């Protein structure tokens, strides 16, 4: 074995950046980078879900996207890097799950064919607050990518906290070649301003924008069917058009979505036959198309 450039165990691609030591890289840094790369090599598509603001339904979209891809027969990982407010364990009814280790690394929690990892699984109780600065967050995200036994995946969906801070930056830097970002917003102007920042963030990091999803776009009265635009409408589509990125579609407000996530059930799975689940599937189709599958 070449001591200067020891082979990565995943493949023998001599063009892979992990096959070559960088200038001034220590042995430890090089070994770490190879370990990270050997995990990432086994994941075909890496998608990050972003939003400008909190509470717009980003985690809801991430959970439904991941579950929908799994229901299509894909091997999917869902990584929650919302370090200060991990909500994925609750949305999937996994609050009481404990992580376990193996020779391969930390084992993600498995829900059917969906592999889930969240800092929420490491907190002793849900009231615990995580008070970490940027480098600690970067370290935790690196561990989630490098030390978790993800195995072979078709998709890794990363649910990032709102905004353009340390977490999405770390994810994009560590993963390198992210397939793209799905950006979630609500339709009103105050959310729209921030979604522009998320799009600019992607452009600056050369992460393709797969599209904008407008969530909570109108409320359909369950009794009479009348549509009320509680948060105005069309903001997401307008931004997508203005900034020349795809618009994936609108999800209306529906109490069943909120109820399902409180109950730890995924809407697109448990209400699969409803027209709204059909709307969600059409929004997700371009992401499913990345791996050539049909919703
Ligand atoms: P974020 O990740 O952007 O902070 P969440 O996905 O946690 O937002 O959603 C915030 C809350 O809104 C959750 O209780 C969720 O169930 C609810 N919610 C999200 N989208 C909808 C919707 N279209 N209709 C009704 N409730 C929704």
């Amino acid at each position: 074995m070449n001591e200067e450039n020891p082979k990565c165990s995943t493949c023998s691609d001599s063009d892979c950046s992990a096959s070559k030591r960088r200038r001034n890289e220590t042995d430890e840094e090089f070994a770490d980078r190879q370990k990270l790369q050997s995990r990432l090599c086994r994941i075909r598509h890496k998608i990050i879900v972003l939003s400008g603001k909190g509470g717009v339904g980003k985690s809801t979209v991430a959970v439904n996207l991941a579950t929908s891809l799994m229901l299509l027969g894909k091997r999917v990982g869902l990584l929650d890097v919302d370090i200060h407010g991990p909500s994925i364990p609750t949305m999937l009814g996994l609050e009481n799950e404990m992580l376990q280790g193996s020779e391969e690394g930390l084992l993600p929690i498995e829900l059917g064919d969906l592999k889930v990892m969240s800092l929420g699984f490491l907190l002793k109780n849900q009231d615990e607050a995580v008070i970490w600065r940027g480098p600690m967050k970067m370290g935790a995200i690196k561990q989630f990518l490098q030390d978790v036994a993800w195995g072979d995946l078709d998709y890794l969906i990363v649910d990032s906290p709102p905004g353009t801070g340390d977490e999405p930056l770390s994810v994009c830097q560590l993963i390198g070649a992210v397939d793209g970002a799905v950006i979630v917003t609500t339709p009103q102007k105050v959310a729209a301003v921030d979604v522009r920042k998320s799009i600019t963030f992607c452009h600056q990091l050369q992460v393709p924008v797969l599209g904008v999803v407008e969530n909570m776009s109108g409320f359909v009265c369950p009794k009479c069917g009348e549509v009320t635009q509680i948060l105005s409408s069309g903001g997401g589509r307008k931004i997508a058009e203005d900034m020349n990125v795809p618009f994936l579609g609108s999800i209306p407000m529906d109490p069943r979505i909120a109820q399902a996530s409180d109950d730890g059930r995924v809407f697109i799975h448990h209400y699969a036959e409803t027209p709204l689940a059909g709307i969600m599937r059409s929004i997700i189709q371009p992401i499913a198309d990345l791996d050539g599958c049909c919703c």
Side-chain angles (χ1 to χ4, degrees):
M1 187 160 70
N2 178 343
E3 278 300 302
E4 186 59 24
N5 290 316
K7 267 191 185 156
C8 173
S9 58
T10 312
C11 69
S12 52
D13 180 2
S14 56
D15 287 336
C16 173
S17 62
S19 68
K20 294 177 188 72
R21 188 191 296 266
R22 289 180 182 153
R23 274 182 112 201
N24 304 327
E25 197 168 46
T26 64
D27 285 354
E28 200 185 340
E29 286 163 348
F30 185 39
D32 247 24
R33 195 162 59 80
Q34 284 200 323
K35 195 172 170 196
L36 174 64
Q37 195 57 47
S38 66
R39 295 272 190 217
L40 295 176
C41 263
R42 297 174 65 184
I43 304 173
R44 285 153 59 85
H45 303 290
K46 295 114 181 159
I47 312 283
I48 182 165
V49 185
L50 299 172
S51 70
K53 279 204 184 305
V56 299
K58 174 187 46 59
S59 298
T60 304
V61 168
V63 160
N64 281 279
L65 169 61
T67 305
S68 174
L69 292 167
M70 178 199 75
L71 293 172
L72 288 167
K74 298 292 160 186
R75 297 162 301 175
V76 186
L78 176 59
L79 172 58
D80 177 9
V81 298
D82 194 339
I83 285 168
H84 300 288
S87 49
I88 297 287
T90 307
M91 288 184 166
L92 292 173
L94 300 173
E95 303 103 310
N96 299 321
E97 294 292 331
M98 300 288 287
L99 291 177
Q100 290 187 348
S102 75
E103 271 184 14
E104 276 279 291
L106 207 52
L107 294 171
I109 302 295
E110 296 196 20
L111 192 62
D113 285 334
L114 181 65
K115 294 181 177 175
V116 189
M117 181 53 70
S118 166
L119 188 79
F121 296 136
L122 295 166
L123 302 179
K124 284 193 203 79
N125 69 63
Q126 286 199 310
D127 300 337
E128 210 174 314
V130 178
I131 305 167
W132 286 355
R133 291 188 193 279
M136 278 186 80
K137 293 184 199 170
M138 170 91 159
I141 293 170
K142 189 171 173 194
Q143 278 194 312
F144 281 150
L145 292 168
Q146 180 183 292
D147 297 336
V148 171
W150 292 108
D152 294 311
L153 294 180
D154 298 312
Y155 289 90
L156 179 68
I157 308 296
V158 184
D159 181 26
S160 181
T164 53
D166 291 313
E167 295 88 338
L169 181 62
S170 300
V171 169
C172 295
Q173 285 177 337
L174 288 165
I175 293 183
V178 176
D179 285 59
V182 173
I183 302 178
V184 184
T185 185
T186 44
Q188 76 280 30
K189 215 170 178 180
V190 280
V193 174
D194 288 332
V195 95
R196 286 177 186 273
K197 291 182 190 151
S198 299
I199 296 173
T200 307
F201 170 87
C202 291
H203 289 338
Q204 283 175 346
L205 294 178
Q206 289 164 356
V207 171
V209 177
L210 295 170
V212 173
V213 177
E214 185 179 280
N215 187 31
M216 307 193 190
S217 178
F219 170 71
V220 185
C221 172
K223 296 213 168 95
C224 68
E226 188 187 343
V227 180
T228 308
Q229 298 298 346
I230 295 176
L231 301 175
S232 75
S233 76
R237 181 186 289 276
K238 172 137 191 6
I239 292 161
E241 281 168 10
D242 285 354
M243 297 195 75
N244 212 14
V245 296
F247 179 66
L248 295 172
S250 307
I251 303 173
M253 263 185 192
D254 189 314
R256 291 171 302 177
I257 295 182
Q259 192 59 54
S261 63
D262 278 359
D263 293 346
R265 289 177 297 153
V266 183
F267 184 87
I268 210 162
H269 190 191
H270 288 274
Y271 293 93
E273 303 305 324
T274 60
L276 180 48
I279 292 174
M280 283 189 181
R281 280 193 291 272
S282 68
I283 287 173
I284 285 162
Q285 185 66 54
I287 293 110
D289 286 345
L290 292 175
D291 206 57
C293 52
C294 181
C295 286

